[in-house]
Amino acid sequence: MRCAILTIGTEILFGQIVNTNTVYLTRELNHMGFDVLYHHTVGDNAARLKELIHETYKDCNVIVCTGGLGPTEDDLTKETIAEAFGDKLEMHQESLVNLEAFAKRRGWKEITPNNYKQAMMPTKARVFQNDVGTAPAFALMGEMDGAGDLISVKDNSEVFDKEDLKIIVTMPGPPREMKWMWNTHIKPFLLGFSDKSLSYRVIRTFGIGESKLETVLLTLIDGQTDPTIATYAKEGESSLRIASQRATKEEADAAVEDMLEKVREYIGKYIYSIDDEDLHQVVGRTLIEKGISISSCESCTGGMFSSKLVEIPGISQVYDRGIVTYSNRAKIEELGVSEDIINEYGAESPEVAAEMVKGLARVTGSRLCISSTGVAGPGNSQGPKGEIPVGDMFIGVYFDGEVHVKEMHTGRDDRVVNRNSCMLTMFDEIRKVIDQKV
Amino acid sequence: MRCAILTIGTEILFGQIVNTNTVYLTRELNHMGFDVLYHHTVGDNAARLKELIHETYKDCNVIVCTGGLGPTEDDLTKETIAEAFGDKLEMHQESLVNLEAFAKRRGWKEITPNNYKQAMMPTKARVFQNDVGTAPAFALMGEMDGAGDLISVKDNSEVFDKEDLKIIVTMPGPPREMKWMWNTHIKPFLLGFSDKSLSYRVIRTFGIGESKLETVLLTLIDGQTDPTIATYAKEGESSLRIASQRATKEEADAAVEDMLEKVREYIGKYIYSIDDEDLHQVVGRTLIEKGISISSCESCTGGMFSSKLVEIPGISQVYDRGIVTYSNRAKIEELGVSEDIINEYGAESPEVAAEMVKGLARVTGSRLCISSTGVAGPGNSQGPKGEIPVGDMFIGVYFDGEVHVKEMHTGRDDRVVNRNSCMLTMFDEIRKVIDQKV
């Protein structure tokens, strides 16, 4: 299916809000094997919206709309879409009942005429009720005639050739409502137009170079069209999406799992999730599940690690404390790092990373301790043994009495990138040490 | 000027990268007083691109394009745009010289035929050299005739009525290159088509309710069309953009400053920047400038505050240390909070927030100390005196021997929102205490 994502909302064209719905839907549609040909955003303007719908159907089957369904603006979007499909609005009984029930649950004093309009629907629409807001979603289906006019139908069984089918779906704009509507109703509805069953997995990796990943992928996909593999890279982390569309769900699942095994053979040690989880989520969950007590001390990352770890609900079961020892005095007083070692090697050194983590283990008694120190930038740093290049960072890892230091040399003069990359590597080092030793 | 932002890039339609350029350009164009009517994204497909350009010019004067200028894809975008304007590509001498100089500086072994194509330009284009990459930007101007065909011109002085003028500008896709090109060349070029001079300021506020902000704005703008005021709200922070377009720069500046004074009368105490800076940047800079030593201890924010503070280069001059006392044991051992107080009031209480910050001041001797504790969620917490609602958070502030506690009751059951809002309030409390006492 060839499709377009159409966002309706003046506030996006004013720059007041960022269009995150399009990013989400783009990935979803690609995962489903749909081809995304366009992203469009228009304001609340009927003429432009109608023109754009007609233009888009010249080479698309499906238009996925978000926004423009709020109580103050809904006539415009809904009426225009209905009109584009040669349809008109009428009160939709099920939506009306739902609206009244929603108003009662929330204790509204009255239902305004504007709210009532939210229950008006195109007569031929397939309507999807909204359990998390007041605006239902709907779909219209039809065919385009020779003159470029759309002829709508009540049911897709009335339709012709699937190649000619034109579908529009509309969802509310607030991301929480949109995602609920998408996953509950719209995605299954759209998948219903496919003869095939879809299966996919998003695999997350850390630490693998982009060129290595490319090489592996070229080897694995070598001419085959199903399953497909796509990659999404950002700052040291890469995601792989393996997707398959087969006659049955079982076949599709099996094809994805087969490919996953092949991918593991090449890059298994870099994989930290086969279910699209974040690295800190995987690590946090592992620490809680295995009951491994942990403390952290940070210099260059400055609390980024602890802040990320504390995102995990329930982490208080294992996380004792984090110390941001930004000054040398704090390293000495809090962790008992010796002043001599700082003077001899400099605060930004593997030796100090090791001393920090040893000190932290003494103070806290935690089974796992982790430290960071290094030059985040901007610019190189001056150490006692000469210049320390920006991007040189050191991570101390203490586990059950043993200590090792991971050295990083990013070569990047970018404070944000360096700190983020050091923080992620801290999580990856924890993952690896638990993997090897527990 | 009525304009559209056109992004060219299959990788965006695959969901591989997020279209941040459009967000940036939307805000810039709105600041400049241009009306943004559309956002479009298309892949590297000549027919679709050409069709979209023609459609867009039906109600826009300006199309701002990014992407599609890389060495492997440039013929397509450039050729298609040239063709849409009835023009063709030829080797552009200045771009060729610049390309060769760039290759020499970077020590390239050879310039490939693909790279040479990057120096090909439409014959009537105004070309803008790229100091930070290899793809120059360019602009084409023209008029649309009755048949919907574009007639291009070499110079806008050859053109007719400004109302009819059609302009297309293209910039490289990588955000760093795009922003450089925009600020150095494209923005001044586009502002040249305005009879008026533009002035604007982005004012940042914290802690003001959205409804209060609305009321103030309605009072201030009451029917006037210049200066304009627009607001951008997110999670407790609101930005106001005051913009004026007048015959001269001096008049526009004066109109903006006048309005700024009026805004100050109403909401002066909420304003922390009149130059679009972030709260933590303003606070970090103030601490460094005034040489105020600072330490932090965090429970619910869990290192978010220190991580944000450490974003500021040079903060090591005043930031001693941060302690994430996530467990009660850490609060007792690191800060000397008494176990009795924790047992009596609970760890998530104003009393403990005050004890934390007093203890931190004893340990560090810092002139300013700040603490956080509270219920970030999910769900309410159980304290010794009963349930503590999710979103109840407490910030201890120590300054020159005095201590006070800021209480927050967000009423939100969202861990991310609560922690972020507590972290921002910590910065705001520091701003206020310095404002009042230094």
Side-chain angles (χ1 to χ4, degrees):
Chain A
M1 298 280 238
R2 296 150 70 89
C3 60
I5 299 171
L6 174 56
T7 311
I8 301 158
T10 309
E11 66 282 14
I12 287 168
L13 298 175
F14 282 161
Q16 287 168 336
I17 60 167
V18 174
N19 190 351
T20 56
N21 286 347
T22 292
V23 178
Y24 180 84
L25 291 170
T26 300
R27 294 205 173 157
E28 285 287 306
L29 288 162
N30 273 284
H31 287 168
M32 289 157 63
F34 283 46
D35 293 321
V36 180
L37 263 48
Y38 299 105
H39 296 166
H40 296 303
T41 303
V42 281
D44 303 312
N45 178 302
R48 281 181 214 134
L49 177 56
K50 200 170 164 189
E51 173 87 19
L52 204 52
I53 290 171
H54 275 96
E55 280 304 314
T56 303
Y57 278 135
K58 285 187 183 162
D59 46 15
C60 289
N61 303 106
V62 180
I63 300 180
V64 178
C65 297
T66 63
L69 300 179
T72 58
E73 46 193 9
D74 63 340
D75 357 299
L76 178 66
T77 302
K78 278 194 294 197
E79 257 172 41
T80 308
I81 291 174
E83 214 179 287
F85 274 80
D87 199 357
K88 61 181 196 314
L89 301 183
E90 65 177 16
M91 185 53 76
H92 185 255
Q93 283 311 312
E94 189 197 346
S95 301
L96 181 62
V97 170
N98 271 352
L99 174 68
E100 287 169 345
F102 188 94
K104 204 172 164 189
R105 276 204 308 278
R106 292 284 169 105
W108 288 6
K109 291 208 183 82
E110 58 164 351
I111 298 178
T112 66
N114 269 340
N115 284 124
Y116 275 116
K117 283 193 196 150
Q118 293 195 293
M120 304 276 286
M121 290 288 150
T123 65
K124 294 189 178 165
R126 170 89 172 264
V127 179
F128 305 99
Q129 293 307 321
N130 183 348
D131 287 3
V132 294
T134 54
F138 68 87
L140 277 172
M141 290 166 286
E143 196 189 29
M144 202 174 238
D145 69 14
D149 287 327
L150 285 158
I151 310 155
S152 62
V153 293
K154 182 88 184 165
D155 189 301
N156 61 310
S157 67
E158 293 172 36
V159 189
F160 359 107
D161 187 349
K162 249 170 207 166
E163 283 295 301
D164 294 328
L165 188 64
K166 304 296 181 193
I167 308 170
I168 196 162
V169 293
T170 68
M171 292 180 280
R176 195 178 64 99
E177 290 185 46
M178 186 283 292
K179 283 182 192 171
W180 183 89
M181 196 55 93
W182 172 258
N183 287 297
T184 313
H185 294 301
I186 305 295
K187 185 178 177 176
F189 172 75
L190 289 177
L191 283 173
F193 289 93
S194 174
D195 295 329
K196 295 183 175 170
S197 275
L198 171 80
S199 176
Y200 72 86
R201 261 196 194 284
V202 178
I203 295 161
R204 305 275 295 255
T205 73
F206 184 82
I208 188 171
E210 269 186 70
S211 59
K212 172 150 191 178
L213 198 60
E214 281 294 314
T215 313
V216 170
L217 294 183
L218 288 175
T219 313
L220 285 175
I221 59 181
D222 190 28
Q224 78 174 67
T225 53
D226 186 285
T228 57
I229 307 188
T231 60
Y232 308 83
K234 66 162 199 205
E235 305 293 0
E237 288 193 282
S238 302
S239 302
L240 279 82
R241 188 252 301 161
I242 304 175
S244 174
Q245 287 188 298
R246 299 285 170 100
T248 67
K249 180 84 174 95
E250 289 66 34
E251 284 176 50
D253 285 348
V256 169
E257 296 307 313
D258 267 9
M259 182 56 85
L260 173 59
E261 284 318 304
K262 286 184 196 151
V263 168
R264 275 194 202 279
E265 278 170 34
Y266 286 91
I267 56 164
K269 68 171 177 166
Y270 300 102
I271 296 174
Y272 64 79
S273 172
I274 57 169
D275 293 309
D276 200 15
E277 293 163 300
D278 286 333
L279 181 56
H280 70 283
Q281 288 176 318
V282 174
V283 169
R285 201 192 50 228
T286 307
L287 289 166
I288 295 170
E289 278 172 10
K290 298 190 187 287
I292 298 171
S293 60
I294 176 169
S295 291
S296 58
C297 52
E298 304 177 64
S299 190
C300 59
T301 48
M304 223 177 189
F305 172 86
S306 55
S307 179
K308 209 75 188 167
L309 188 62
V310 169
E311 278 182 17
I312 315 296
I315 197 71
S316 60
Q317 295 165 44
V318 293
Y319 187 45
D320 177 32
R321 75 195 79 173
I323 308 184
V324 181
T325 49
Y326 212 62
S327 65
N328 286 345
R329 209 188 111 210
K331 290 184 186 72
I332 295 163
E333 290 180 8
E334 296 285 340
L335 305 170
V337 175
S338 99
E339 201 164 352
D340 291 346
I341 286 184
I342 295 180
N343 289 337
E344 186 177 348
Y345 298 100
E348 295 135 339
S349 63
E351 289 79 6
V352 166
E355 288 301 305
M356 286 169 72
V357 86
K358 282 184 213 163
L360 185 65
R362 265 195 312 272
V363 172
T364 62
S366 292
R367 192 173 170 200
L368 202 161
C369 290
I370 192 136
S371 69
S372 72
T373 187
V375 187
N380 296 347
S381 182
Q382 199 55 49
K385 298 185 169 178
E387 221 163 53
I388 308 167
V390 61
D392 276 20
M393 296 176 292
F394 310 96
I395 295 169
V397 185
Y398 168 99
F399 188 70
D400 281 348
E402 282 179 43
V403 172
H404 73 268
V405 174
K406 163 83 179 177
E407 305 204 1
M408 299 178 65
H409 310 277
T410 69
R412 302 275 304 264
D413 191 3
D414 186 319
R415 192 174 176 86
V416 175
V417 168
N418 283 333
R419 293 180 65 221
N420 194 55
S421 149
C422 186
M423 178 271 290
L424 288 171
T425 307
M426 290 167 83
F427 279 103
D428 197 50
E429 287 298 307
I430 295 175
R431 180 182 73 83
K432 287 197 283 193
V433 80
I434 293 177
D435 214 36
Q436 286 157 18
K437 302 205 172 157
V438 180
Chain B
M1 299 280 240
R2 296 151 70 90
C3 60
I5 299 171
L6 174 55
T7 311
I8 301 157
T10 309
E11 66 280 17
I12 288 168
L13 298 174
F14 283 161
Q16 287 169 333
I17 61 168
V18 175
N19 190 351
T20 56
N21 287 345
T22 292
V23 178
Y24 179 85
L25 291 171
T26 300
R27 296 207 170 152
E28 285 285 306
L29 288 162
N30 274 284
H31 287 167
M32 289 159 62
F34 284 44
D35 294 321
V36 180
L37 264 49
Y38 298 106
H39 295 167
H40 295 304
T41 302
V42 281
D44 303 311
N45 177 303
R48 281 179 214 136
L49 178 56
K50 200 171 163 188
E51 174 88 18
L52 204 52
I53 290 171
H54 275 97
E55 280 304 315
T56 303
Y57 277 134
K58 285 185 184 164
D59 47 15
C60 289
N61 303 107
V62 180
I63 300 179
V64 178
C65 297
T66 62
L69 300 179
T72 56
E73 46 194 8
D74 63 339
D75 356 299
L76 178 67
T77 304
K78 278 194 294 194
E79 257 171 42
T80 308
I81 292 175
E83 213 179 287
F85 273 80
D87 199 357
K88 61 182 195 316
L89 301 182
E90 65 176 17
M91 184 54 74
H92 184 254
Q93 282 311 313
E94 190 196 344
S95 302
L96 181 61
V97 170
N98 271 351
L99 174 68
E100 287 170 345
F102 187 95
K104 204 172 162 189
R105 276 204 308 279
R106 293 283 170 104
W108 289 7
K109 290 209 185 82
E110 57 163 353
I111 299 177
T112 66
N114 270 340
N115 285 125
Y116 275 117
K117 282 189 197 153
Q118 293 196 293
M120 302 278 286
M121 290 288 150
T123 66
K124 293 187 178 169
R126 172 89 171 262
V127 179
F128 305 99
Q129 293 306 322
N130 183 347
D131 286 5
V132 295
T134 55
F138 68 88
L140 276 173
M141 290 167 286
E143 197 189 29
M144 202 174 238
D145 68 16
D149 286 328
L150 285 158
I151 309 155
S152 60
V153 293
K154 181 88 186 166
D155 188 301
N156 63 310
S157 67
E158 292 171 34
V159 190
F160 3 104
D161 188 348
K162 249 168 207 165
E163 284 296 301
D164 294 328
L165 188 63
K166 303 296 181 193
I167 307 170
I168 196 162
V169 292
T170 67
M171 292 180 281
R176 197 178 63 99
E177 289 186 46
M178 186 282 292
K179 284 182 190 168
W180 183 89
M181 196 56 93
W182 172 257
N183 286 297
T184 314
H185 294 301
I186 304 296
K187 184 177 179 178
F189 171 75
L190 289 177
L191 282 173
F193 289 92
S194 173
D195 295 328
K196 294 181 175 170
S197 275
L198 170 80
S199 175
Y200 71 86
R201 261 195 194 287
V202 178
I203 295 162
R204 305 277 293 256
T205 72
F206 185 81
I208 187 170
E210 268 187 71
S211 59
K212 172 152 190 178
L213 198 60
E214 281 294 315
T215 314
V216 171
L217 293 183
L218 287 175
T219 313
L220 286 176
I221 58 179
D222 189 27
Q224 77 173 65
T225 52
D226 185 286
T228 56
I229 307 189
T231 60
Y232 308 83
K234 64 160 199 203
E235 305 293 359
E237 288 194 281
S238 301
S239 304
L240 280 82
R241 189 251 302 162
I242 305 174
S244 175
Q245 288 188 295
R246 300 285 171 100
T248 67
K249 181 83 174 95
E250 289 68 33
E251 284 176 51
D253 285 348
V256 169
E257 296 308 312
D258 268 9
M259 182 56 84
L260 173 60
E261 284 319 303
K262 285 182 196 152
V263 169
R264 274 194 201 280
E265 278 170 34
Y266 286 89
I267 56 165
K269 68 171 177 166
Y270 300 102
I271 297 174
Y272 64 80
S273 172
I274 57 169
D275 293 308
D276 201 15
E277 292 162 298
D278 286 333
L279 181 55
H280 69 284
Q281 289 177 317
V282 173
V283 168
R285 201 192 47 228
T286 307
L287 290 167
I288 295 170
E289 277 172 10
K290 298 191 188 286
I292 298 171
S293 60
I294 176 168
S295 290
S296 58
C297 52
E298 305 176 63
S299 190
C300 61
T301 48
M304 225 177 188
F305 171 86
S306 57
S307 179
K308 208 76 185 167
L309 188 62
V310 169
E311 279 182 16
I312 315 296
I315 197 70
S316 60
Q317 294 165 45
V318 294
Y319 188 45
D320 178 31
R321 76 194 78 174
I323 308 185
V324 181
T325 50
Y326 212 62
S327 65
N328 287 345
R329 208 187 111 209
K331 289 183 185 74
I332 296 163
E333 289 181 5
E334 296 284 341
L335 305 170
V337 175
S338 99
E339 201 162 354
D340 291 346
I341 288 185
I342 294 179
N343 289 338
E344 187 175 349
Y345 299 99
E348 295 137 339
S349 64
E351 289 79 6
V352 166
E355 288 302 304
M356 284 169 74
V357 84
K358 281 184 212 162
L360 185 64
R362 269 197 308 275
V363 173
T364 62
S366 292
R367 192 174 171 198
L368 202 161
C369 290
I370 192 136
S371 69
S372 71
T373 187
V375 187
N380 297 346
S381 182
Q382 199 55 47
K385 299 184 170 181
E387 220 165 54
I388 310 166
V390 62
D392 277 19
M393 297 177 289
F394 310 96
I395 295 168
V397 184
Y398 168 99
F399 187 69
D400 281 350
E402 284 178 41
V403 172
H404 74 268
V405 173
K406 162 84 179 176
E407 304 203 1
M408 299 178 65
H409 309 278
T410 69
R412 300 276 302 267
D413 192 3
D414 185 319
R415 191 173 176 86
V416 175
V417 167
N418 284 334
R419 294 181 65 220
N420 193 54
S421 150
C422 185
M423 177 271 291
L424 287 172
T425 307
M426 291 168 83
F427 279 103
D428 197 49
E429 287 298 305
I430 295 175
R431 179 181 74 84
K432 288 197 282 195
V433 79
I434 294 177
D435 214 34
Q436 287 157 16
K437 303 206 172 155
V438 180

